[in-house]
Amino acid sequence: MRVPTSDRLTTYRNKRDFTRTREPAGATVSVGSLPTGNRFVVPRHRARRLHYDFRLEMDGVLASWAVPKGPTLDPNVRRAAFHVEDHPLEYYDFEGVIPAGEYGGGDVIVWDVGTWDHYYQREDRDPVDAVARGELHVELDGQKLKGKFVLVRTSVDDAGKESWLLLHKKDEFATKGWDAEDHPRSVLSGRTNDEVKADPDRLWRSDLPASEAAIPLRPPVFEPVSRAELRALDRLGSSGRWEVFGRELKVTNLDKVLFPARSREKPVTKRDLIRYAAQIGPTLVPYLTRRALNMHRYPNGVGSAGFWHKELPDHAPSWLIRWDNPDADPDETQTYLVVDEPAAVVWAANFGALEWHAWTSRVEDPQLPTYALFDIDPGETTTWSEVLALARLHRTAFEHLGVAAFPKLTGRRGLQIWVPIATGPSFDDTREWVERVSRTVGAVLPDAVSWKWQVRRTRSTRPSSRRTVRERPLVRRSPLRSSGTSSRILGCGPTATRSAASSSDLTSAGTSSRRC
């Protein structure tokens, strides 16, 4: 008889802290509520100890056994197996890394996959009932495992831990001396556990819906916009529908001038901006993917005042990826655009966004930055040579620390320095680190550098910038007394600040590891 439980994943969930682990939580599945599938999967899992997980899809979950030495096709060998908690179906094709310190932490490959049939004995027509009775007969059709297997429960200890045996029947697929360790590669990627550990493709995020739980670590590669697509854009009138990157976009006001003509140059129109967005989109997307985007819009061109637009409008196409900020207050931005494909860059350009500011954290971990950001902001009388001198001092510091750092022009004459960091430190942590580095650099020019706090408090007592009540990090300015240059320690909270802000704006912009 079936055990009348309301949720077969209760034990699985109770063993995990889903605020820390990236494993899938799984949908709530009641016994008998879903049809029985016939897939099986065998991951090779190097956790505290190497083992193989023998998993059969039944009744909406993956019934699971841990097999320390792995299954075998040798009918003369019996393998110890331990019945463990049911796992969610999202685990079926998971290959990647579970972070150390979490339950089951280690690397996982999909060692074998396939389908299975239950060939029952006597009245055990239902595989769930057969497991409850302690004897399950299956026939596997996998890439490595084939033929008839039987699982037999041998004992149950005082703590309820079930010991089983897994063995292969004598059939046409039986192979004497067959050992799983002689076949170490994944059937999905062809890689070994060592190779996956060194360069994983995915991590799990368990506190997200199952459909979003697998977080890709490698953004897809997109083809460049075609000449035919660009010609189609040029043939449009002032407005129309444009097919690009497999999406149909409504583009408007194509002949509106966004940047006035300079000497011996033509003005830049909205059509030109959209063309540019399409050309750079495939290159830009890997740096924007899985990050909320703040848009600085100039719908009437740079000759008119621009404004920040962070909330994705209701009329935006349904195919655009959206992210709802769970920490937003009622008066703050709720839903952000996430640019995961080139067509989304084109949409933002058509929306009049001339500046695109992605958060330095990803939507899966919005409080954990992936960059530390230094901003060297020149004053009105600062020379370019003075800006470069401060930048070179930072470069020397980074070389001494063995840290990779990448400079970027910003505004008219400023420089930003982006330092990639592993996920883990908070914005406060990165702020403190950036402050220590910048203060050390500033000590080289003690007569030129001063430090000031620029802090505003919100009603929730958290530090914020003038623009955004939820920006947590703080601004420190180090004006060069002789020239007015400042070396800011940036690190925004949930929103970004302008990349081309005026000197006065910069006194209240973000802090040490900015989401921009």
Side-chain angles (χ1 to χ4, degrees), residues 13-182:
R13 293 193 183 102
N14 287 343
K15 288 187 175 183
R16 291 160 172 82
D17 179 359
F18 292 113
T19 64
R20 298 185 60 210
T21 177
R22 295 179 183 270
E23 297 171 279
T28 299
V29 178
S30 298
V31 173
S33 65
L34 294 176
T36 299
N38 66 337
R39 297 179 297 175
F40 83 87
V41 61
V42 181
R44 186 178 187 270
H45 186 181
R46 295 195 306 185
R48 185 171 55 181
R49 297 183 180 87
L50 168 66
H51 65 278
Y52 292 72
D53 294 305
F54 188 82
R55 293 178 176 150
L56 305 173
E57 180 182 1
M58 60 176 73
D59 206 41
V61 297
L62 293 172
S64 302
W65 289 260
V67 185
K69 294 186 177 181
T72 178
L73 300 181
D74 190 336
N76 298 317
V77 175
R78 298 181 178 185
R79 293 298 197 208
F82 301 94
H83 195 197
V84 297
E85 69 275 10
D86 296 327
H87 281 58
L89 295 179
E90 300 90 70
Y91 247 115
Y92 179 75
D93 62 350
F94 173 61
E95 184 166 289
V97 171
I98 302 171
E102 298 171 8
Y103 184 83
D107 47 85
V108 182
I109 65 169
V110 178
W111 182 81
D112 197 19
V113 293
T115 58
W116 69 280
D117 285 320
H118 173 221
Y119 66 97
Y120 50 86
Q121 305 292 314
R122 300 181 301 278
E123 72 277 14
D124 291 333
R125 297 175 180 269
D126 189 312
V128 177
D129 288 345
V131 172
R133 291 175 181 273
E135 184 173 332
L136 176 66
H137 296 254
V138 297
E139 186 167 3
L140 304 183
D141 183 13
Q143 297 187 39
K144 296 177 182 178
L145 299 180
K146 293 182 180 292
K148 294 181 178 180
F149 290 76
V150 61
L151 278 159
V152 180
R153 184 169 57 221
T154 57
S155 65
V156 182
D157 65 18
D158 293 340
K161 182 178 180 180
E162 300 182 8
S163 297
W164 293 58
L165 288 177
L166 172 65
L167 57 93
H168 193 283
K169 294 291 191 72
K170 293 182 178 180
D171 59 17
E172 65 270 31
F173 298 105
T175 304
K176 185 176 180 181
W178 198 94
D179 191 333
E181 287 296 282
D182 295 332

Side-chain angles (χ1 to χ4, degrees), residues 288 290-294 323 336-338 357-359 361 363 494:
L288 300 179
R290 307 307 298 157
R291 300 177 189 273
L293 190 74
N294 298 327
W323 176 65
Y336 289 84
L337 169 65
V338 178
H357 297 255
W359 288 21
S361 59
V363 295

Side-chain angles (χ1 to χ4, degrees), residues 215-259:
I215 307 302
L217 300 182
R218 301 168 189 243
V221 177
F222 295 97
E223 293 295 323
V225 62
S226 70
R227 292 182 179 179
E229 289 170 325
L230 293 177
R231 286 196 296 267
L233 174 65
D234 293 337
R235 288 194 296 266
L236 290 175
S238 62
S239 298
R241 292 192 173 275
W242 185 32
E243 293 277 352
V244 64
F245 299 118
R247 302 290 191 186
E248 183 181 81
L249 286 83
K250 181 181 179 181
V251 290
T252 59
N253 302 314
L254 294 175
D255 298 322
K256 178 182 290 187
V257 174
L258 299 180
F259 295 86

